[in-house]
Amino acid sequence: MYSPIYWNLRFYRRVIRLLYWLARADMDEEYRLISKLADGEVLEVCCGDAYLSRFVDKSKYVGMDMNSYFAEKLRRKGLNIVTADITRDKVSSAENIIMIISLYHFLTSEVSPLEIIQKLRNASIKKTIICEPYQNISGWVE
């Protein structure tokens, strides 16, 4: 089952914000910069609470996450969210495919991070943007 961080959207966002604060990183600035790199439609893989959707055109945003609880809550808020597991399911093609602070989840999975990256690149029409911290800011909660 999921770690408690994935049980509630608000709790998830607070933990992520705390981790950014502990790492002395500006979360909003990071997402703003990433959104500027993505011109056109965006597919955010492992979107979590779809925070990136605040910085891009929502009509061109699709989030993808395996957490069906988060996906359903976000759909009720009007976002286009697909419930899918990147390790097993097909990634739909999009102009820009973005993954933020999620690749490290695959370091110990049956599917390697390189296989995930290749899957994203194959589905991307223009750009594949992967943003990972230079230090693991989430190691304290997992």
Side-chain angles (χ1 to χ4, degrees):
M1 197 61 196
Y2 297 124
S3 165
I5 189 175
Y6 300 107
W7 294 354
N8 181 286
L9 280 168
R10 284 193 182 114
F11 180 67
Y12 173 86
R13 176 54 39 210
R14 286 186 179 124
V15 169
I16 297 299
R17 279 223 175 265
L18 173 65
L19 294 173
Y20 267 86
W21 179 80
L22 290 170
R24 293 180 169 75
D26 185 339
M27 185 172 143
D28 287 350
E29 183 61 21
E30 182 176 306
Y31 279 72
R32 213 174 278 109
L33 289 170
I34 292 167
S35 71
K36 287 179 182 177
L37 293 172
D39 53 332
E41 65 182 0
V42 170
L43 171 62
E44 183 183 12
V45 178
C46 303
C47 68
D49 66 351
Y51 196 71
L52 181 64
S53 69
R54 297 173 184 211
F55 300 92
V56 298
D57 181 348
K58 286 179 184 48
S59 69
K60 296 181 180 180
Y61 176 87
V62 176
M64 177 180 156
D65 203 280
M66 67 183 283
N67 186 328
S68 58
Y69 173 76
F70 277 19
E72 181 57 34
K73 289 278 193 186
L74 294 166
R75 281 192 288 268
R76 286 186 199 153
K77 292 181 177 189
L79 291 173
N80 186 359
I81 306 293
V82 176
T83 304
D85 180 346
I86 191 171
T87 63
R88 289 183 286 233
D89 299 323
K90 182 181 183 296
V91 176
S92 299
S93 65
E95 290 177 322
N96 302 281
I97 296 183
I98 300 174
M99 178 185 273
I100 303 173
I101 314 175
S102 295
L103 192 61
Y104 73 94
H105 286 295
F106 304 100
L107 293 175
T108 58
S109 76
E110 293 176 12
V111 179
S112 77
L114 290 176
E115 291 174 281
I116 299 295
I117 291 169
Q118 191 60 49
K119 194 173 194 177
L120 299 179
R121 288 184 67 212
N122 289 342
S124 173
I125 296 169
K126 286 183 182 178
K127 297 175 187 169
T128 304
I129 301 168
I130 299 172
C131 180
E132 292 291 315
Y134 61 90
Q135 68 184 39
N136 184 354
I137 62 173
S138 68
W140 303 306
V141 294
E142 291 191 324

